[in-house]
Amino acid sequence: MSLPDWLNPEKIIPISRGSTTVFKTGTWSGNRPEHREKTSPCRAACPAGNNIPDALFAASQGNFDDALSAFLEESPLPGVCGSVCYHPCETYCNRDKWDGSVHIRTLERAAADYGNAIPIPLANSGERYPVAVVGSGPAGLSAAYHLARMGHPVSVIEARDEAGGLLRFAIPLYRLPQGVFQKDLKRILSLGISINTGEKVGTKKLEEIRAKSSAVFIASGAQRSIKAEIPGLDLEGVLPGLDFLQKVRRSVLTELPGKVVVIGGGNVAVDAARSARRLGADKVEVVCLEQRGDMPAHEREWSDALEEGILFHYGWGPKRFLGKRSRASRVEFAGCTSVFDSKGRFSPSYEEDESLMLDADWVILAIGQVPDISPYRASPLAERGFVQTDPITLATTWEGVFSGGDFVTGPRSVVEAIAAGKRAALSIHCYTLGKPFSEAEERTLLGDGPGFSIHSFFHPREGWDPKSVVRFEDIESLCLDQEARRSLGRLSPVERTTGFHEVDIPLDLREAVQQAGRCFFCGTCTGCDRCFLYCPEVSLLPPDENCSFYRADDAFCKGCAVCAAVCPRGVMTMGEVK
Amino acid sequence: MKKFITGNHAVAEAVRLCRTQIVAAYPITPQTPIYEKLSDWEAAGELGGIMMRTESEHSAMAACLSASLAGVRAFTATSSQGLALMHEMLHFASGCRAPVVMACVNRTLAAPWAFWSDQTDSLSQRDTGWIQIYCEDNQEVFDSVIQAFRIAEGVLLPCMVVLEANYISHFMEPIEVPEQEQTDRFLPPVKIPERFDVDNPSFVAPVVSQVQFEAFRHLSYEAMSNALDVIEEVDRDFGDHFGRNYGLVEAVGLDGAELALVTTATITSTARVALAGLREKGHRVGLVKIRVFRPFPTRILREILEPVPRVAVLERNLSLGREGIFCSELKAALVNSEKPHHVQGYLAGMGGTNVDPDLIERVVIDALSRERVSDEPIWMMEKK
Amino acid sequence: MQEIKFHGRGGQGVVTASQMLGLAYFKGGMYPQCYSLFGGERRGAPVVSFLRVDQKKILLKCEIKNPNQLIIFDASLVDPDEIRKQVVPGTKILINTSKMSDVIERLRDFTVGIIDASCIAENLRLGHVINTTILGAYCRLFESLSVNKVIEAVMEMVPAKKSENAKAVIEGNNRVTLIKGRR
């Protein structure tokens, strides 16, 4: 039976069985999405330029070997940084604007704890130049590590009997367990770096080394405690801050009976006070020039110290040490009205009428540390009384000699020292090859710098724009869950002060995977396929054997920007047809 | 078997007996009990089909339309604002020739906000290309839903069964509910075009040219015209199966009548009582019930009203700026009659107010005694 | 045709009462038609329900204005003037109250059935739901329906406490007081 037209299924409604592929709609548009990876704000904020998104993505998949490998791209000391870094990354984390930043520092530590990885070699020209590094603190180790990855033979000279500088002899164990540092150190040395310990370097020695090497990097740190001209300084029981910390780390001092007064408002002072507490001091008091809000010590260290029962006196400067039978017994302080002069220079002024008298069996003087350039007195390095370097290349005025870290800047953080070592390594590499460093730096600068990626200089990442930093506004928040930042496990103040146990309890494996999963992976494609799935024209092609990233099919892409709008991490970006 | 149930419940019973495969709906007073009853049955595993709880009536109709294009028997129910929100998709369903069936419970459209009977919501959908059947009691609603599936699937156009808020939706009355086998014998399993075939992919309803659009509209017009015959045939066959039928229109006592009172929906039922009384008193008045509004039964209305000089249309709806909508439609249907008619419009029951035999009697007396027909409708207002 | 009007408050089971009574008549072979008007569906708000019963199909699709049976669930809703306006000659009124003399005084024109349904329901742990007690009393007052038909409908429709509700019907039927009016 034949149907009338008005009932004929093939006639009553329009149905197209042709293909719209005949319409090359892509040729009508001038816009094209580009797969443009960008830099995450955490990475841009990290002085070491750590590849945090790749590391945390691997961790979120439970792959801590790859997580560690990603951290090792830029830094030799993930275990150390994962324990002690003041984590500017977390301050700039985009998730902070959502429901609390990701626990990046603790996850770096988890990568170091649970992962095993060999640092990826940095492809090199095949030419090998011997380089000497003076000092095995974080700056020296960092320079040695990266230079060795490039294939250069590196020898490290260390004045002390063991490598590590302040990592080994200053930072208290409750912040950095020895095993964590040793694991990092072992990995660094596995690159074939030789370390000569117990060898002091001065002008003469440096000349010798220079003659045998293509370049030298001096990273001797800032280890000389400032000694103020205060009456009674030589009394027994008065100790410089770094010396005190070193004695504790060497187990020379294992107990500290009596009352302890620590002078100074910086991190060394707080480390000293908290160590004194753990050595069984009856009373520990910290006295500093600054008012509470102006103390240079990190907030967290200060509040931990308070919890541990340490008393703080703000706005006092030491006037004199009083003793009994050549041993310190009291300290007198004068009220400090201002720390800096009108030009911002350190120049405390006192109100002599006001005074504070504290009983003290021990006085730890931690009022600052400076580089000790006395060994180089007769060299071009010491011409100006301090080591002068080019801030970009870290070259000193002495041809072939580079310097960086605390030795140049005065005391800074571990991560800044690591950054200086990395900068020196690439700078020296360029110097030995006779190439300008500024070009190399320019290519890999993260955001506005000064951090850069040494790894991507040797292994360029296709489709990555390192200078472009992902803002929170670039994150597609519709796909985000709420999972607030959790506070992590810590020892109670009582547990802490019975010994030098690590205060922050490391993440267990399951927790680490979970916390890593909170990362937005800003600017880094995780292959989530949203752009591919949402493309209304099915014209966004996923990676395949020919191409490692998502790209538009020029024949059909209308440039509608849906892919860019749905990208959760700001990778897909609209551009123009090339 | 006989059941003592509400009109809403009757709709749900019919939908289940028709082996409806998908119900996509959104709750709205006074339709909600239909949705609830079907949901209860689904939860108890007694529905057969599936319920899809959409986020709006617009989506409900989109879902029904899509399901229908996939060859599935689809149903929805709504009212008032919900129907207005669905409006765009109503055009889409008829344009796609999707035989979706809907129960529309007539309710006032805001503003002001109210819940009671008023036909303006469904009549506002006059031009969407849906078949519309207006029912006067619970039994007719039940029977019309069953008929609607056969009509819609027979002409490939969607069909709306209209029942009034309160007077049907919430009135409990005894109705006859047939056995499943009996219903199955009347309504065969669904057999409509399946538009989604993964082996032969197609794009349904793509953009067309001006000429193509006109041609598709003409085919839809032919389908709607032919629907008049199909509705009558389905109704006759329903009568053979169940012993009840309704026609496109129904005429009562028109022989020798001086006046025909034209009504729809529940006013018809009450008017049967009022007119019986009036005829007993000697008034020559007959009753015409318009059951099917789209397609409009023009020819049959003209035939049965041919010998009746006066016509009064009493209705519960209003097209502002004109008059009652059935009145306008009827006037248009009669305009080419041999003899001119006097057609007077009356408005009553607006917003669900009471239309009782007294009121209807007053309408009839007015229409019979009126010397001049007014072009304006006459409002039979409730006091207060 | 009987036209029955129910007055009560939300929470007393007024709507269900009209439906159960309709069902009871339906089971008895009659044609009932039942509906309700709500102000707001909440406890305490006045509720009105309607029931028509006839032997043949009821065509009226309009409100009951002049009931010949009136059932009042809450005596505070009784306004004799209002009742006089509505009722037709011979209308009987069933009323739930504990203050019999008060009601007799106010409704002396009417034949009234008085039942303290709240007390009975309370004793049967039915709370404010007095509808089944009222229906029991209804059978005695109006004599147009057997108690068994009402119990059958109650058993089919009440969602819980079936035996308590059946007892309520019987109690209501036993304890209603009839007073012949003057009209």
Side-chain angles (χ1 to χ4, degrees):
Chain A
M1 188 185 78
S2 79
L3 288 167
D5 282 358
W6 61 268
L7 260 186
N8 186 331
E10 291 301 313
K11 292 185 178 170
I12 55 175
I13 62 170
I15 295 177
S16 166
R17 290 213 171 75
S19 167
T20 53
T21 53
V22 294
F23 300 117
K24 305 282 186 200
T25 45
T27 58
W28 308 347
S29 169
N31 297 329
R32 279 293 175 277
E34 289 167 21
H35 180 109
R36 247 180 41 179
E37 289 197 309
K38 300 177 187 66
T39 297
S40 58
C42 53
R43 186 174 193 182
C46 175
N50 267 336
N51 185 356
I52 296 163
D54 273 0
L56 265 53
F57 182 68
S60 74
Q61 307 299 303
N63 184 345
F64 287 87
D65 292 349
D66 282 3
L68 178 60
S69 183
F71 279 119
L72 291 173
E73 287 176 9
E74 307 293 340
S75 161
L77 295 159
V80 170
C81 273
S83 310
V84 305
C85 190
Y86 69 100
H87 52 71
C89 49
E90 294 183 22
T91 306
Y92 289 89
C93 175
N94 273 335
R95 187 139 197 162
D96 191 40
K97 298 186 183 70
W98 185 246
D99 58 3
S101 58
V102 178
H103 283 292
I104 300 170
R105 184 188 86 178
T106 318
L107 285 162
E108 184 175 6
R109 169 67 182 275
D113 284 353
Y114 303 124
N116 277 303
I118 298 163
I120 299 165
L122 299 175
N124 62 83
S125 60
E127 295 172 81
R128 288 177 162 73
Y129 297 95
V131 181
V133 173
V134 179
S136 65
L141 288 176
S142 172
Y145 169 81
H146 291 298
L147 286 162
R149 287 172 75 202
M150 297 171 204
H152 301 297
V154 184
S155 58
V156 178
I157 300 155
E158 169 56 52
R160 288 200 184 83
D161 51 345
E162 275 183 59
L166 56 80
L167 303 178
R168 170 65 186 86
F169 293 109
I171 297 177
L173 289 172
Y174 62 84
R175 286 174 56 204
L176 176 60
Q178 194 51 30
V180 173
F181 165 61
Q182 290 301 340
K183 190 175 172 188
D184 281 350
L185 181 64
K186 200 174 153 197
R187 192 187 310 110
I188 296 166
L189 298 183
S190 73
L191 295 172
I193 296 163
S194 69
I195 298 207
N196 305 317
T197 51
E199 201 167 329
K200 289 198 164 56
V201 179
T203 306
K204 194 149 176 275
K205 177 79 180 172
L206 187 59
E207 275 171 348
E208 267 172 45
I209 299 167
R210 254 196 86 223
K212 282 191 279 182
S213 317
S214 301
V216 184
F217 178 56
I218 304 175
S220 306
Q223 305 197 40
R224 198 159 65 84
S225 292
I226 295 173
K227 288 181 184 171
E229 293 303 316
I230 302 166
L233 199 60
D234 350 319
L235 285 167
E236 218 178 290
V238 178
L239 295 168
L242 274 183
D243 289 9
F244 169 72
L245 289 175
Q246 182 166 186
K247 284 194 167 75
V248 176
R249 286 295 307 264
R250 283 185 184 279
S251 303
V252 174
L253 268 176
T254 53
E255 55 182 4
L256 207 64
K259 292 173 180 157
V260 179
V261 169
V262 179
I263 299 171
N267 286 318
V268 171
V270 179
D271 281 351
R274 296 178 68 190
S275 295
R277 188 98 187 90
R278 285 161 172 77
L279 292 176
D282 301 327
K283 186 174 189 183
V284 183
E285 290 169 278
V286 176
V287 185
C288 61
L289 290 172
E290 300 87 357
Q291 291 303 317
R292 153 76 199 99
D294 303 326
M295 280 173 71
H298 287 307
E299 177 85 16
R300 179 66 171 266
E301 300 293 320
W302 167 81
S303 63
D304 280 1
L306 275 185
E307 285 174 12
E308 290 163 14
I310 290 159
L311 297 172
F312 285 80
H313 302 273
Y314 310 107
W316 298 97
K319 203 167 163 188
R320 56 186 170 138
F321 304 117
L322 305 167
K324 271 186 200 154
R325 275 181 257 108
S326 80
R327 193 172 167 87
S329 62
R330 278 189 298 171
V331 192
E332 189 184 346
F333 296 89
C336 174
T337 50
S338 68
V339 182
F340 299 97
D341 67 12
S342 57
K343 288 177 181 162
R345 285 176 303 213
F346 181 77
S347 170
S349 46
Y350 297 98
E351 178 65 64
E352 295 293 337
D353 295 346
E354 271 189 86
S355 76
L356 171 74
M357 188 71 86
L358 298 176
D359 290 340
D361 299 301
W362 301 89
V363 179
I364 299 165
L365 198 58
I367 55 173
Q369 301 81 38
V370 290
D372 184 5
I373 61 165
S374 57
Y376 305 106
R377 214 171 288 129
S379 81
L381 286 182
E383 269 169 5
R384 293 179 164 226
F386 60 91
V387 180
Q388 197 188 9
T389 59
D390 178 318
I392 303 298
T393 64
L394 303 186
T396 65
T397 46
W398 199 353
E399 178 68 27
V401 178
F402 297 75
S403 185
D406 287 0
F407 190 61
V408 174
T409 60
R412 295 273 179 89
S413 63
V414 170
V415 69
E416 284 163 293
I418 291 171
K422 182 168 92 174
R423 176 170 290 272
L426 189 57
S427 176
I428 288 169
H429 177 74
C430 293
Y431 168 77
T432 57
L433 298 179
K435 289 181 177 162
F437 171 65
S438 55
E439 279 176 26
E441 188 206 25
E442 174 63 21
R443 259 164 53 195
T444 58
L445 210 58
L446 300 166
D448 298 330
F452 64 96
S453 168
I454 197 165
H455 180 84
S456 66
F457 176 76
F458 292 96
H459 303 285
R461 185 171 181 135
E462 215 178 338
W464 178 41
D465 177 4
K467 286 185 189 58
S468 176
V469 179
V470 179
R471 298 164 306 163
F472 178 70
E473 295 71 35
D474 302 328
I475 299 294
E476 213 294 275
S477 58
L478 279 178
C479 65
L480 300 181
D481 287 333
Q482 283 282 354
E483 191 193 336
R485 176 181 166 102
R486 258 176 351 92
S487 45
L488 300 177
R490 314 192 79 211
L491 296 185
S492 71
V494 174
E495 291 169 311
R496 287 183 220 163
T497 48
T498 54
F500 282 80
H501 318 292
E502 191 176 15
V503 171
D504 292 320
I505 301 167
L507 293 171
D508 67 33
L509 202 58
R510 189 187 56 82
E511 219 173 2
V513 171
Q514 200 179 335
Q515 291 302 315
R518 289 184 69 238
C519 182
F520 292 165
F521 315 114
C522 301
T524 296
C525 178
T526 61
C528 73
D529 268 358
R530 274 170 68 97
C531 51
F532 167 64
L533 294 170
Y534 280 79
C535 174
E537 295 293 307
V538 204
S539 68
L540 200 87
L541 309 173
D544 54 29
E545 62 269 20
N546 300 317
C547 183
S548 62
F549 43 82
Y550 294 83
R551 73 278 186 201
D553 183 340
D554 276 334
F556 302 108
C557 172
K558 292 192 298 198
C560 69
V562 166
C563 52
V566 300
C567 177
R569 19 204 145 259
V571 173
M572 293 310 292
T573 309
M574 292 311 291
E576 290 180 356
V577 173
K578 293 203 175 78
Chain B
M1 78 186 277
K2 277 224 184 283
K3 288 188 177 182
F4 177 55
I5 55 178
T6 65
N8 278 335
H9 189 161
V11 169
E13 288 279 4
V15 168
R16 178 166 67 165
L17 276 173
C18 290
R19 299 188 185 277
T20 306
Q21 289 156 294
I22 185 163
V23 177
Y26 187 86
I28 182 170
T29 303
Q31 168 276 131
T32 306
I34 300 177
Y35 178 97
E36 287 173 339
K37 184 57 82 179
L38 292 167
S39 283
D40 286 348
W41 286 334
E42 190 202 32
E46 295 167 3
L47 183 60
I50 57 165
M51 287 285 292
M52 188 171 167
R53 291 159 187 85
T54 53
E55 75 278 21
S56 74
E57 288 85 354
H58 189 279
S59 302
M61 184 46 62
C64 286
L65 155 62
S66 308
S68 186
L69 288 172
V72 163
R73 188 169 283 165
F75 173 83
T76 190
T78 192
S79 279
S80 179
Q81 315 298 125
L83 186 65
L85 181 59
M86 213 182 249
H87 175 79
E88 181 195 2
M89 284 291 115
L90 297 180
H91 280 281
F92 232 106
S94 70
C96 285
R97 304 292 300 275
V100 178
V101 170
M102 178 203 304
C104 171
V105 184
N106 279 139
R107 168 187 154 185
T108 51
L109 272 165
W113 198 254
F115 304 101
W116 309 100
S117 180
D118 188 309
Q119 296 172 311
T120 311
D121 58 352
S122 58
L123 290 170
S124 296
Q125 311 308 325
R126 184 186 68 176
D127 302 333
T128 55
W130 280 60
I131 296 166
Q132 287 196 354
I133 300 172
Y134 287 79
C135 304
E136 69 171 283
D137 63 22
N138 294 14
Q139 184 72 57
E140 186 179 5
V141 168
F142 175 86
D143 293 345
S144 297
V145 169
I146 296 174
Q147 291 188 8
F149 282 106
R150 249 186 70 176
I151 295 164
E153 289 163 17
V155 295
L156 296 178
L157 279 173
C159 182
M160 192 184 294
V161 177
V162 186
L163 54 148
E164 286 182 78
N166 188 39
Y167 297 113
I168 293 183
S169 71
H170 286 66
F171 263 46
M172 279 177 96
E173 289 178 339
I175 69 161
E176 183 64 42
V177 177
E179 296 302 318
Q180 183 68 58
E181 297 73 39
Q182 204 183 351
T183 316
D184 288 345
R185 278 195 295 278
F186 171 75
L187 180 67
V190 65
K191 192 170 179 299
I192 55 177
E194 292 174 31
R195 304 299 192 180
F196 301 121
D197 179 359
V198 287
D199 296 325
N200 187 15
S202 62
F203 180 20
V204 176
V207 177
V208 295
S209 69
Q210 301 91 318
V211 173
Q212 288 172 318
F213 188 88
E214 192 173 50
F216 284 117
R217 288 299 275 173
H218 187 251
L219 289 174
S220 294
Y221 168 80
E222 284 193 287
M224 193 55 108
S225 303
N226 279 284
L228 281 170
D229 290 342
V230 173
I231 295 167
E232 282 197 296
E233 182 199 310
V234 168
D235 188 49
R236 262 196 307 277
D237 195 39
F238 189 88
D240 294 345
H241 278 80
F242 302 101
R244 294 180 299 276
N245 60 347
Y246 303 93
L248 298 167
V249 301
E250 183 189 343
V252 183
L254 280 190
D255 283 348
E258 189 184 341
L259 171 74
L261 176 70
V262 178
T263 59
T264 62
T266 60
I267 292 179
T268 309
S269 191
T270 308
R272 291 178 196 275
V273 178
L275 264 58
L278 284 164
R279 277 196 295 270
E280 265 175 38
K281 289 181 198 164
H283 295 289
R284 286 155 60 205
V285 54
L287 178 69
V288 173
K289 163 191 174 184
I290 300 179
R291 176 172 177 255
V292 175
F293 175 68
R294 278 290 178 276
F296 198 74
T298 306
R299 186 186 51 78
I300 185 165
L301 278 168
R302 207 160 51 215
E303 276 172 21
I304 60 173
L305 289 174
E306 190 73 56
V308 187
R310 286 168 184 258
V311 176
V313 185
L314 172 60
E315 56 192 317
R316 199 194 286 276
N317 66 78
L318 170 64
S319 172
L320 271 182
R322 189 79 181 97
E323 59 190 338
I325 293 162
F326 282 96
C327 187
S328 290
E329 292 273 341
L330 187 70
K331 282 177 178 172
L334 297 180
V335 76
N336 291 330
S337 300
E338 296 289 321
K339 282 181 282 179
H341 294 271
H342 289 289
V343 181
Q344 178 62 55
Y346 293 88
L347 300 179
M350 207 72 64
T353 52
N354 196 34
V355 179
D356 59 16
D358 287 353
L359 185 147
I360 295 169
E361 216 174 295
R362 281 191 282 128
V363 168
V364 169
I365 301 299
D366 182 87
L368 283 169
S369 58
R370 181 165 280 277
E371 288 181 7
R372 289 193 53 194
V373 171
S374 165
D375 287 329
E376 300 293 325
I378 295 166
W379 285 70
M380 308 297 289
M381 304 273 281
E382 274 265 298
K383 299 261 159 42
K384 278 194 280 187
Chain C
M1 183 165 62
Q2 298 165 52
E3 294 196 302
I4 310 163
K5 191 170 178 187
F6 300 70
H7 280 285
R9 294 189 181 277
Q12 291 184 308
V14 179
V15 173
T16 316
S18 63
Q19 294 176 350
M20 286 191 294
L21 191 58
L23 184 62
Y25 275 116
F26 176 67
K27 286 177 181 295
M30 303 291 280
Y31 189 104
Q33 180 201 62
C34 169
Y35 69 98
S36 308
L37 297 176
F38 309 89
E41 286 195 58
R42 59 191 163 83
R43 282 171 191 269
V47 176
V48 192
S49 222
F50 302 89
L51 177 64
R52 286 189 177 98
V53 184
D54 206 349
Q55 265 138 352
K56 59 182 194 306
K57 177 164 178 165
I58 296 167
L59 294 171
L60 293 173
K61 288 280 186 182
C62 55
E63 291 170 17
I64 294 176
K65 282 190 168 164
N66 306 111
N68 44 32
Q69 299 181 3
L70 197 55
I71 302 174
I72 297 168
F73 279 54
D74 183 338
S76 72
L77 294 166
V78 174
D79 176 351
D81 293 338
E82 188 60 34
I83 289 174
R84 274 184 206 100
K85 261 191 248 165
Q86 290 185 14
V87 295
V88 294
T91 296
K92 290 182 188 173
I93 303 171
L94 175 62
I95 187 160
N96 165 41
T97 183
S98 57
K99 294 175 189 154
M100 199 188 290
S101 55
D102 178 43
V103 171
I104 294 166
E105 184 58 33
R106 290 165 69 193
L107 297 173
R108 59 172 64 193
D109 301 347
F110 301 94
T111 296
V112 179
I114 294 175
I115 177 84
D116 191 351
S118 298
C119 171
I120 295 170
E122 193 67 49
N123 287 334
L124 289 165
R125 299 180 186 283
L126 292 167
H128 295 296
V129 186
I130 58 171
N131 51 11
T132 44
T133 315
I134 292 274
L135 292 187
Y138 175 90
C139 296
R140 173 64 55 88
L141 177 64
F142 295 100
E143 297 176 319
S144 53
L145 189 63
S146 78
V147 178
N148 285 344
K149 278 280 173 279
V150 169
I151 292 178
E152 218 181 295
V154 164
M155 298 307 266
E156 191 171 317
M157 281 191 73
V158 294
K161 298 189 178 172
K162 285 185 191 294
S163 66
E164 288 89 336
N165 277 298
K167 273 185 205 145
V169 174
I170 293 160
E171 282 287 282
N173 193 258
N174 290 340
R175 287 170 57 179
V176 64
T177 307
L178 304 183
I179 296 160
K180 286 274 179 205
R182 294 178 191 162
R183 261 163 64 154

